[in-house]
Amino acid sequence: MSRVFNFSAGPAVLPEAVLREAAAEMLDYRGTGMSVMEMSHRSKTYQNIIDTAEADLRKLMGIPAGYKVLFLQGGASQQFAMIPMNLMKTGAADYIVTGQWAKKAWQEGKLYGRAEAIASSADKTFSYIPDCSDLPVHDDASYVYICENNTIYGTKFHTLPNTKGKPLVADVSSCFLSEPVDVSKYAMLYGGAQKNVGPAGVVIAVIREDLITEDVYPGTPTMLRYKTHADNGSMYNTPPAYGIYICGKVFKWLLDQGGLAEMGRRNREKAAVLYDFLDASRMFRGTVVKKDRSLMNVPFVTDSDELNKKFIAEAEAAGFVNLKGHRSVGGMRASIYNAMPMEGVKKLVEFMDGFEKRNG
Ligand SMILES: *Cc1c(COP(=O)(O)O)cnc(C)c1O
């Protein structure tokens, strides 16, 4: 068996310790004689798995009382609709458009009311985060929406926008659990698990309880109401049971590593190794305004498409996989989530350095 260094943006690398533990429990989960995959979600054993996962997530993020944790399905993309259906109580909401995911959420929002883009970085191919200190937030906006870390373009809101008192809703899919977070600043944050938390198929939403009401867009299906899931402990129907179990293991792993403060420290260190190299290189360069750089997704290019292609192919042959940039932007992208060890980043930089010397 040999593991590669997997720089995929998602589904992405998971901690090896978690995978080993899951493998060891595959045929017989702790004396039950069955896999978690085969288990009734109504069993005591499973209830304990989901309760522990939620408790550990609350501990990790310091989620205050008054917030619900929901384990949902449908990917982060399902939330693009669920958010306006459930939270656009005034029929209006403001969106900050900093990339394709934010744009998709904005477009979806328009199906349910007056969704307006109050800031955008589309003018420079989403290579920066606009100044959000004094935006024209609408008086009747039910919320202000952001995509906090832009997976495709590699930018991050290092300062949250001034929403002028309006509830902040954030897609944190690709920066979930990457550093400490003050949950009380958000009305809702959510993310698909497959970037930094667990397997695809699980979406985790943390929502202020007072926003979870029956006052939803007319015709909102039962399954798409937050209240349905909140009232039933995320088990109105069969939850993505195995995925939640793996997420729970990742939460334990994060706690064992020292929690989010420690992850933040490691992630800043890892990102610095890669960005410092890019800043010094004469062949490779980062594509994003420095102050807005993501710690998780690092896009970079050379000046030649041919060289990009050659680099990606040679890197793959050397065991550094999934470095191809998103199909919409080209070039390269290294996603260096929590589970990517420093060793992987250092070896990648060594490889890039060698490539530059051979081809410079
Ligand atoms: C990947 C991603 C999505 C889409 O996730 P799905 O689970 O495939 O729907 C949405 N937002 C962000 C920030 C992402 O990185």
Side-chain angles (χ1 to χ4, degrees), residues 216-290:
V216 296
Y217 190 80
T220 296
T222 306
M223 273 295 287
L224 298 188
R225 298 171 188 220
Y226 292 133
K227 195 161 189 327
T228 302
H229 300 281
D231 287 350
N232 291 282
S234 298
M235 293 217 268
Y236 169 74
N237 70 327
T238 318
Y242 194 81
I244 294 169
Y245 153 78
I246 299 290
C247 289
K249 287 202 179 298
V250 172
F251 301 154
K252 280 257 188 277
W253 180 79
L254 290 168
L255 288 167
D256 287 347
Q257 301 300 302
L260 300 192
E262 173 62 14
M263 292 325 290
R265 190 191 65 74
R266 289 187 201 175
N267 287 328
R268 279 189 299 278
E269 253 179 42
K270 283 187 291 174
V273 167
L274 189 43
Y275 285 123
D276 287 350
F277 172 78
L278 290 171
D279 290 344
S281 167
R282 281 191 294 166
M283 175 178 284
F284 298 101
R285 64 185 160 80
T287 55
V288 161
V289 167
K290 276 191 193 177

Side-chain angles (χ1 to χ4, degrees), residues 19-204:
L19 299 177
R20 285 184 190 284
E21 227 180 86
E25 291 173 347
M26 182 61 78
L27 295 181
D28 177 6
Y29 178 76
R30 302 186 186 178
T32 57
M34 63 179 91
S35 154
V36 172
M37 241 181 275
E38 304 167 296
M39 191 175 283
S40 165
H41 59 293
R42 305 290 177 201
S43 65
K44 248 199 190 139
T45 309
Y46 192 76
Q47 190 64 52
N48 186 47
I49 289 173
I50 193 169
D51 288 347
T52 306
E54 176 173 343
D56 285 343
L57 180 65
R58 284 183 175 276
K59 198 189 300 173
L60 263 177
M61 297 182 79
I63 298 174
Y67 282 80
K68 282 275 186 206
V69 171
L70 304 181
F71 294 100
L72 305 169
Q73 309 193 50
S77 302
Q78 178 81 280
Q79 295 308 305
F80 300 167
M82 276 178 86
I83 288 162
M85 285 173 141
N86 287 272
L87 305 184
M88 204 194 264
K89 320 252 188 211
T90 58
D94 289 341
Y95 284 74
I96 300 175
V97 181
T98 52
Q100 288 201 19
W101 297 120
K103 191 173 165 191
K104 282 190 171 166
W106 170 44
Q107 302 293 357
E108 193 76 7
K110 288 183 194 176
L111 299 176
Y112 304 97
R114 208 188 79 233
E116 297 203 52
I118 53 168
S120 167
S121 51
D123 61 335
K124 291 182 183 157
T125 18
F126 300 118
S127 58
Y128 70 103
I129 298 291
D131 176 3
C132 296
S133 57
D134 186 17
L135 295 173
V137 176
H138 291 88
D139 284 340
D140 64 345
S142 287
Y143 56 83
V144 175
Y145 181 100
I146 63 169
C147 177
E148 189 163 333
N149 185 80
N150 297 282
T151 324
I152 295 173
Y153 299 94
T155 58
K156 158 135 210 250
F157 281 85
H158 292 294
T159 312
L160 293 175
N162 173 4
T163 63
K164 303 191 173 168
K166 301 296 182 194
L168 176 66
V169 174
D171 175 354
V172 300
S173 294
S174 50
C175 59
F176 219 164
L177 308 181
S178 62
E179 57 188 337
V181 52
D182 180 355
V183 175
S184 71
K185 290 186 171 156
Y186 303 79
M188 169 176 175
L189 57 86
Y190 75 95
Q194 74 273 25
K195 306 291 161 66
N196 204 20
V197 179
V202 185
V203 176
I204 300 170

